Amino acid sequence: MARPRIKDVARHAGVSEKTVSNVINDYVHVSERTRRVVREAIDHLGYRVNLAGRHLRKGRTGIIALVVPELDVPYFAELARHVIREAERLSLTVLIHQSGADREHELAALAGFGSDFVDGIILSPLALTADDVSDRAGAPPTVLLGELLEEGADHVAIDNEKAAREATEHLIGLGRRNILAVGGVEAPGLGTAEARTRGYLAALAQAGIPHRPEALLPVGDFRMPDGARAVAGVLRAGERPDALLCLNDQLALGALRTLYESGLRVPEDVAVIGFDDVEGGRFSVPTLSTVAPDKAAVARVAVELLHRRIEEAAQGPEASGAGSGGVQSPQDRVVSHRLVLRESTEGPGGG
Amino acid sequence: MARPRIKDVARHAGVSEKTVSNVINDYVHVSERTRRVVREAIDHLGYRVNLAGRHLRKGRTGIIALVVPELDVPYFAELARHVIREAERLSLTVLIHQSGADREHELAALAGFGSDFVDGIILSPLALTADDVSDRAGAPPTVLLGELLEEGADHVAIDNEKAAREATEHLIGLGRRNILAVGGVEAPGLGTAEARTRGYLAALAQAGIPHRPEALLPVGDFRMPDGARAVAGVLRAGERPDALLCLNDQLALGALRTLYESGLRVPEDVAVIGFDDVEGGRFSVPTLSTVAPDKAAVARVAVELLHRRIEEAAQGPEASGAGSGGVQSPQDRVVSHRLVLRESTEGPGGG
């Protein structure tokens, strides 16, 4: 079959070519239903927008940067794959920068690497403050991933507090009472770990389970060795948990190894649930229950929002006023998540 | 302590400042021993080269691109971390591009993304041919990772054939005879899988074990689901291997899960060894024996070689002639690897 064209998408979706074009250009006055039908047709036919010429005409490079703290935390690598796929539909090339959760690196990225070769930035910040983000005149359009740093920035995240509450409720529903939060931090902070800890505490309070501060296990980093070490530490101290809420899957996979070495059975002695739904948790022994964020949706919403901001920036402020259906005001987008229950909480029949 | 300066490095290493500068600028006439002493002093003191101004004076951006097939294969994400660390010492910023093992993407990367914002490229090719690499006048300096595509390109790799032979000899040494190669491909090809398969076949031949073509298990991709599926397939077909040589750790981790589900004990019934030494194999149940490439060395050699090529390109051809100690001729660098033996071949005492 020849490379599909816009008219093929229109025919397949049963809409006009103009409507297809509106969806591709992400105009707000297209209904959600039409948007979905057209997107399905685009996916089905493998249609690819050819914007290469357009980028250059408008003085752009067609390159966006994705800035994440650590690529060897699989969540970010998996998210990157989705961002690349979504960007490709708009003929945008994604270059990825690892910030190492270092503020200087994040600031350099926010400033577009001191160059003008990126049209826009998707940034998952760990060390930036709200002031860093607001104080950036002349920088490329930016969409933030994760917990909201400040009201004035576009951002995309799951409801981390709600997700952690649901995961904890699942453990409580299994009859567990001594539930440790691996990576938990009791603080008024704005980060993802703080939001997840709030959800954990809310679920305990709701069930009338008293919270002990030592049930929050601090970690240096959110990786397998940290999870393994944190759990080894409490077991050595004589703590006998019956469940672990791990704030990401890497911590949980490390914890599973320590529990195995300690002769504790999962989930019979200790039930374990993580966050992120990374591939490793689908193949671990036992397989890992987890909170699965809709990574494809995080990527799609972030790329579409950034693309719109880039268009707005090119058209100037008058084109995107409140009256014209534009999206000038900062967007706070929440995407869905779900609990995925596997052997580490449900036992051999549960995976 | 104040930020260390070049004179602090010189004092700590017991050499002159000029020698430190020579090491930093990677002049070839520094002895390997001096180079090592100076590098250790640089590491110890946390010295950072300040080249930012230099980049701009020379009309460069200080940005290099690392192009890998798939970031969510942990080997590449771990390698990226090392490349970023090495590049940082030279004040180079690394941007990462995922090619998806797609030839068009790899070609676009080779051409510097049609822009002049990258000073050089480190590329791990999967789909390119030798012609693609040689036919690139005007493109930025490039260093290839992995098996050699053609004589005329700089490249860095481990000795994949030797490494696979050693891993297979380890399995034979355990008394195993029915050793399957998961991901193996018997072909005259140039790729990494081909080189590893040659090593596997050489070890079998050396031990007088007849090779059966069906002992090579093809995979669609080098990921956990592919390893799990390939092994499930042969078990279903009644094959009863006593060992698996998996051509990367992701395949091996998938295979471990299938063996667990099949009630086969590792290593008692089936010994398993992988390639890459990714973090997941240090925490899996059982832990995974593997071939560990010296990833830090791959990254260091690649970044240093690329840095030198960028300098040469800036200075023009006369500065790097054969008589001046330059490195104009293409470099074919082999870095070391070692076998890391853990529970999946050695049993509970072996990790």
Side-chain angles (χ1 to χ4, degrees):
Chain A
M1 196 177 99
R3 189 187 161 117
R5 303 169 64 108
I6 213 161
K7 67 177 181 195
D8 302 314
V9 176
R11 194 177 312 127
H12 193 273
V15 300
S16 71
E17 292 185 34
K18 173 78 181 135
T19 298
V20 174
S21 166
N22 283 345
V23 170
I24 290 167
N25 289 297
D26 211 22
Y27 285 122
V28 288
H29 51 77
V30 180
S31 78
E32 206 38 65
R33 200 195 142 276
T34 302
R35 206 180 284 280
R36 203 182 61 239
V37 168
V38 171
R39 274 213 200 91
E40 284 168 3
I42 286 171
D43 285 348
H44 180 77
L45 298 173
Y47 173 76
R48 289 266 299 277
V49 183
N50 181 2
L51 293 182
R54 223 172 94 189
H55 291 313
L56 295 175
R57 272 205 310 284
K58 293 188 181 173
R60 297 189 215 144
T61 59
I63 293 172
I64 62 174
L66 171 66
V67 184
V68 297
E70 309 193 281
L71 275 169
D72 50 0
V73 170
Y75 172 71
F76 292 114
E78 294 184 9
L79 184 65
R81 171 179 291 270
H82 287 287
V83 168
I84 290 164
R85 184 179 308 146
E86 293 298 327
E88 211 159 62
R89 290 190 189 180
L90 300 168
S91 288
L92 292 169
T93 296
V94 179
L95 292 177
I96 301 160
H97 184 64
Q98 172 171 291
S99 67
D102 178 88
R103 188 162 164 278
E104 294 301 315
H105 278 91
E106 291 182 348
L107 284 173
L110 264 188
F113 304 97
S115 174
D116 55 1
F117 71 88
V118 290
D119 293 342
I121 299 165
I122 296 173
L123 172 68
S124 178
L126 266 192
L128 289 179
T129 66
D131 279 355
D132 292 328
V133 178
S134 61
D135 180 26
R136 38 188 294 281
T142 300
V143 172
L144 300 179
L145 303 180
E147 286 302 291
L148 193 57
L149 285 171
E150 59 144 16
E151 294 296 328
D154 289 324
H155 100 120
V156 183
I158 64 166
D159 186 337
N160 279 299
E161 184 170 334
K162 180 159 175 274
R165 202 175 63 230
E166 291 165 359
T168 309
E169 284 167 357
H170 169 60
L171 298 172
I172 294 170
L174 298 173
R176 309 304 164 111
R177 289 297 177 271
N178 188 8
I179 305 168
L180 306 184
V182 183
V185 276
E186 193 166 14
L190 293 163
T192 298
E194 286 82 353
R196 291 179 183 173
T197 304
R198 281 196 298 277
Y200 159 79
L201 294 173
L204 292 187
Q206 175 75 28
I209 300 173
H211 167 54
R212 300 172 303 126
E214 60 270 28
L216 301 181
L217 307 192
V219 292
D221 209 340
F222 282 73
R223 305 166 71 99
M224 292 185 219
D226 306 274
R229 205 156 35 219
V231 174
V234 292
L235 293 178
R236 218 180 302 116
E239 187 85 43
R240 194 60 194 264
D242 55 17
L244 303 176
L245 173 77
C246 299
L247 294 206
N248 77 359
D249 283 353
Q250 301 310 105
L251 293 175
L253 292 168
L256 286 183
R257 177 72 205 175
T258 294
L259 295 170
Y260 168 79
E261 289 176 4
S262 305
L264 292 166
R265 295 165 304 160
V266 177
E268 295 83 348
D269 300 319
V270 185
V272 177
I273 190 165
F275 260 88
D276 291 347
D277 190 23
V278 301
E279 192 172 69
R282 282 167 236 159
F283 291 87
S284 54
V285 175
T287 53
L288 182 64
S289 294
T290 191
V291 173
D294 187 342
K295 281 171 244 175
V298 170
R300 189 176 62 247
V301 171
V303 170
E304 288 180 357
L305 191 50
L306 182 63
H307 179 240
R308 208 184 292 188
R309 293 303 185 200
I310 293 169
E311 295 282 322
E312 284 174 3
Q315 287 161 9
E318 72 285 350
S320 57
S324 73
V327 287
Q328 211 175 31
S329 64
Q331 299 284 304
D332 176 6
R333 300 283 185 88
V334 177
V335 302
S336 68
H337 66 267
R338 65 198 174 87
L339 287 193
V340 176
L341 303 180
R342 303 199 185 100
E343 293 166 357
S344 69
T345 62
E346 301 281 275
Chain B
M1 194 176 102
R3 188 187 162 116
R5 303 168 62 108
I6 213 161
K7 65 176 181 195
D8 303 314
V9 175
R11 192 176 314 126
H12 194 274
V15 300
S16 70
E17 293 185 34
K18 174 77 181 135
T19 298
V20 174
S21 166
N22 283 345
V23 171
I24 290 167
N25 288 298
D26 211 22
Y27 285 123
V28 287
H29 51 77
V30 181
S31 77
E32 207 37 63
R33 200 195 142 274
T34 303
R35 207 180 285 276
R36 202 182 61 240
V37 168
V38 172
R39 273 213 200 94
E40 283 167 5
I42 286 173
D43 285 348
H44 180 76
L45 298 172
Y47 173 76
R48 288 265 300 274
V49 183
N50 181 1
L51 292 182
R54 222 172 94 190
H55 291 314
L56 295 176
R57 273 203 312 282
K58 295 191 180 170
R60 299 190 215 142
T61 59
I63 294 172
I64 62 173
L66 170 65
V67 184
V68 297
E70 307 193 283
L71 276 168
D72 50 359
V73 170
Y75 172 72
F76 292 114
E78 294 184 9
L79 184 65
R81 169 178 293 268
H82 288 288
V83 168
I84 289 164
R85 184 179 307 146
E86 294 298 327
E88 212 159 61
R89 292 188 188 181
L90 300 169
S91 287
L92 293 169
T93 296
V94 179
L95 293 177
I96 301 158
H97 185 63
Q98 172 173 290
S99 68
D102 178 88
R103 188 161 167 277
E104 294 300 315
H105 279 90
E106 290 182 348
L107 284 173
L110 264 190
F113 304 100
S115 174
D116 55 1
F117 70 89
V118 290
D119 292 343
I121 299 165
I122 297 174
L123 171 68
S124 178
L126 267 191
L128 289 180
T129 65
D131 280 353
D132 293 329
V133 178
S134 60
D135 181 25
R136 38 190 292 282
T142 301
V143 173
L144 300 179
L145 304 180
E147 286 302 292
L148 192 58
L149 284 170
E150 60 145 14
E151 294 296 325
D154 288 325
H155 99 119
V156 183
I158 64 167
D159 185 336
N160 279 299
E161 184 170 334
K162 180 160 175 273
R165 202 176 61 229
E166 291 165 0
T168 309
E169 284 165 357
H170 168 60
L171 298 172
I172 294 169
L174 298 172
R176 309 303 164 113
R177 289 297 176 271
N178 188 8
I179 305 168
L180 307 184
V182 184
V185 275
E186 193 167 14
L190 293 163
T192 298
E194 285 82 353
R196 292 180 181 171
T197 304
R198 280 196 299 276
Y200 159 79
L201 295 173
L204 291 188
Q206 175 75 29
I209 300 173
H211 168 55
R212 299 174 302 126
E214 60 271 28
L216 302 180
L217 308 192
V219 293
D221 208 340
F222 281 74
R223 307 167 70 100
M224 292 185 220
D226 305 274
R229 204 157 34 220
V231 175
V234 290
L235 294 179
R236 218 179 303 115
E239 186 84 43
R240 194 58 194 267
D242 55 18
L244 303 176
L245 173 77
C246 300
L247 294 206
N248 78 358
D249 283 354
Q250 300 311 104
L251 292 175
L253 292 168
L256 287 182
R257 176 72 205 173
T258 294
L259 294 170
Y260 168 79
E261 289 177 3
S262 306
L264 292 167
R265 295 165 305 158
V266 177
E268 295 85 347
D269 300 319
V270 185
V272 177
I273 190 164
F275 260 87
D276 291 348
D277 190 24
V278 301
E279 191 172 68
R282 282 168 237 158
F283 291 88
S284 54
V285 175
T287 53
L288 182 63
S289 294
T290 191
V291 173
D294 186 344
K295 281 171 241 172
V298 171
R300 190 176 62 247
V301 171
V303 169
E304 287 180 355
L305 191 51
L306 183 62
H307 180 240
R308 206 183 292 187
R309 293 301 185 200
I310 293 170
E311 294 283 323
E312 285 175 1
Q315 287 158 10
E318 72 285 350
S320 56
S324 73
V327 288
Q328 210 176 31
S329 64
Q331 300 285 301
D332 175 7
R333 301 281 186 89
V334 177
V335 303
S336 67
H337 66 268
R338 64 197 174 90
L339 286 193
V340 176
L341 303 180
R342 303 199 185 99
E343 293 166 356
S344 69
T345 61
E346 301 281 273

